[in-house]
Amino acid sequence: QVVTLIEPKRSNNVNIGMARFRMTPDQIRHAILSMDTSVLNAENLSKLAGFVPTPEEVELVRSYEGDLKQLGPCEQLFLSLSVVPRIKLRLELMAFRLQFDSLLKEAQADIELVQSSLDALRQSAALKTIFGVILGIGNFLNSGSAKGGAYGFKLSALKQLGGTKASDGTTLMQYIATYIESKYPKATKSPTNSPRSTKPLAYEKDALGQDVARIRKDLNRLEGQLKLEYDAKEDKFPQVMASFAKQASTKFDALEAKFNKLQQDSKDAAVFFGEKPNTKWEDLFKIFTDFVRAFSSAKKELERRAQQAEKENNELHLLNK
């Protein structure tokens, strides 16, 4: 007769999950201790972490004094896993080791994209030309007032360009677009000097910072575990993970240095454009992407008007024949 000690619902969930492993409890324990990633890939480690017995469940199965062979599958698994020290954290760190390279690569790609976009904004000759024209026109319109003769303008002023209209309905943005198109045509091709200028909006400063911090946290947790004692001779965790920790720390230090540089460059870019140092890069990028969209929209509207005017002139010419 099978002896069950664990609550039925919990026991059933564990049994269903473990059936997919097609391994005995002792084989699973051995795979964990021997760091056998051919059996325990990242996905399996994640699943197995959900089956780790609680301290109360460990105490319950260990207190059983009958024939161990009569214990149910869930109870036998819990009994086998109970001898593995700090098993839940161990499984999490084993999974972290397998996922580390992809986590690092993803974070590095995000950092490099934001960095290149910030650099593109600051180095854009086209943007300097466009902003110079905007400043000049603004000073001309405000000549004779306290706002005239300005040396610069707040980025928030860019939003007002589409709302300021002449008597014929032409917006200030459309006038600026027309002027730049005629005088500085190259500046209208790629104002921000970055064809990927909208993508960094998806990489929020706080979220990217959390990704980097999570990697650091797991490395710190691993270093803490490596300082502890490991008695079992078959336990390969300290040997395998010590080697991994050394290599991973070196790689992460380089990533963290890039991220710290990005944060400082983000502050410098915000100040460069007259914003507060704590302005998030996604907010800075949004100002420019909104401006580029409005600028492009103004150009298209002018082109539409020109085509409409040409069409009307052609029709009038035909009528006068």
Side-chain angles (χ1 to χ4, degrees):
Q1 184 178 358
V2 176
V3 176
T4 58
L5 305 172
I6 305 302
E7 188 270 326
K9 184 177 180 180
R10 161 78 160 154
S11 176
N12 185 55
N13 289 337
V14 171
N15 291 337
I16 292 174
M18 294 313 301
R20 300 172 184 172
F21 281 78
R22 298 180 181 179
M23 298 167 65
T24 66
D26 286 344
Q27 288 173 331
I28 291 174
R29 184 191 68 238
H30 176 73
I32 294 172
L33 292 173
S34 63
M35 302 288 289
D36 187 354
T37 54
S38 66
V39 174
L40 299 177
N41 55 30
E43 182 180 359
N44 285 340
L45 286 167
S46 177
K47 291 179 180 178
L48 191 57
F51 307 143
V52 170
T54 65
E56 293 76 17
E57 289 169 336
V58 169
E59 183 180 356
L60 184 61
V61 294
R62 281 184 172 179
S63 65
Y64 177 70
E65 297 179 350
D67 186 355
L68 298 181
K69 294 181 180 179
Q70 290 185 324
L71 286 175
C74 176
E75 286 74 13
Q76 290 192 24
L77 175 68
F78 284 1
L79 197 59
S80 291
L81 297 183
S82 69
V83 302
V84 181
R86 300 169 295 279
I87 183 169
K88 186 172 180 61
L89 180 55
R90 173 189 290 243
L91 293 174
E92 292 173 353
L93 292 175
M94 287 173 67
F96 169 65
R97 169 175 167 259
L98 296 179
Q99 297 166 341
F100 176 78
D101 285 340
S102 62
L103 291 173
L104 195 78
K105 184 177 180 180
E106 183 177 346
Q108 182 167 315
D110 294 349
I111 289 171
E112 290 176 353
L113 175 57
V114 176
Q115 182 71 62
S116 65
S117 297
L118 278 176
D119 293 343
L121 284 178
R122 291 196 61 170
Q123 297 167 10
S124 174
L127 202 56
K128 291 179 182 178
T129 298
I130 293 173
F131 280 9
V133 170
I134 293 173
L135 179 62
I137 292 175
N139 280 332
F140 174 78
L141 294 176
N142 292 314
S143 60
S145 70
K147 295 181 180 180
Y151 292 98
F153 58 86
K154 286 286 186 180
L155 293 181
S156 57
L158 296 175
K159 296 180 180 179
Q160 302 171 16
L161 299 178
T164 304
K165 296 182 179 182
S167 57
D168 64 352
T170 301
T171 67
L172 185 54
M173 178 70 84
Q174 290 168 348
Y175 176 80
I176 291 170
T178 302
Y179 182 85
I180 293 174
E181 184 71 40
S182 63
K183 299 292 184 179
Y184 309 101
K186 290 184 179 180
T188 66
K189 303 303 179 184
S190 181
T192 61
N193 202 31
S194 175
R196 303 175 300 176
S197 59
T198 60
K199 286 190 176 181
L201 287 171
Y203 305 103
E204 296 182 357
K205 181 179 180 180
D206 292 343
L208 185 51
Q210 290 169 6
D211 290 342
V212 174
R214 274 193 290 268
I215 298 176
R216 167 59 72 189
K217 179 181 178 181
D218 281 337
L219 283 173
N220 289 340
R221 292 201 302 170
L222 175 56
E223 289 175 3
Q225 290 301 297
L226 291 174
K227 294 177 182 178
L228 304 176
E229 295 292 331
Y230 293 85
D231 299 326
K233 292 182 179 180
E234 63 175 328
D235 196 345
K236 303 297 182 184
F237 183 88
Q239 176 184 344
V240 173
M241 296 303 267
S243 176
F244 160 70
K246 183 178 180 180
Q247 297 177 21
S249 293
T250 300
K251 293 179 181 179
F252 179 76
D253 287 344
L255 176 79
E256 196 170 44
K258 287 184 177 181
F259 181 68
N260 290 337
K261 180 181 183 300
L262 173 60
Q263 292 189 98
Q264 184 58 53
D265 286 354
S266 177
K267 292 179 181 179
D268 293 343
V271 173
F272 179 79
F273 287 110
E275 299 298 304
K276 294 180 180 179
N278 62 350
T279 301
K280 295 179 180 180
W281 61 58
E282 61 265 29
D283 294 333
L284 191 64
F285 287 136
K286 188 175 188 306
I287 293 173
F288 288 104
T289 52
D290 287 350
F291 169 72
V292 171
R293 289 193 186 102
F295 188 86
S296 298
S297 178
K299 282 180 60 182
K300 290 179 181 178
E301 174 60 20
L302 290 171
E303 291 170 0
R304 186 194 67 78
R305 290 185 184 182
Q307 291 171 359
Q308 181 65 26
E310 183 179 1
K311 180 181 177 182
E312 291 175 356
N313 287 334
N314 290 336
E315 291 175 350
L316 183 61
H317 179 72
L318 290 174
L319 289 172
N320 292 331
K321 279 188 175 182

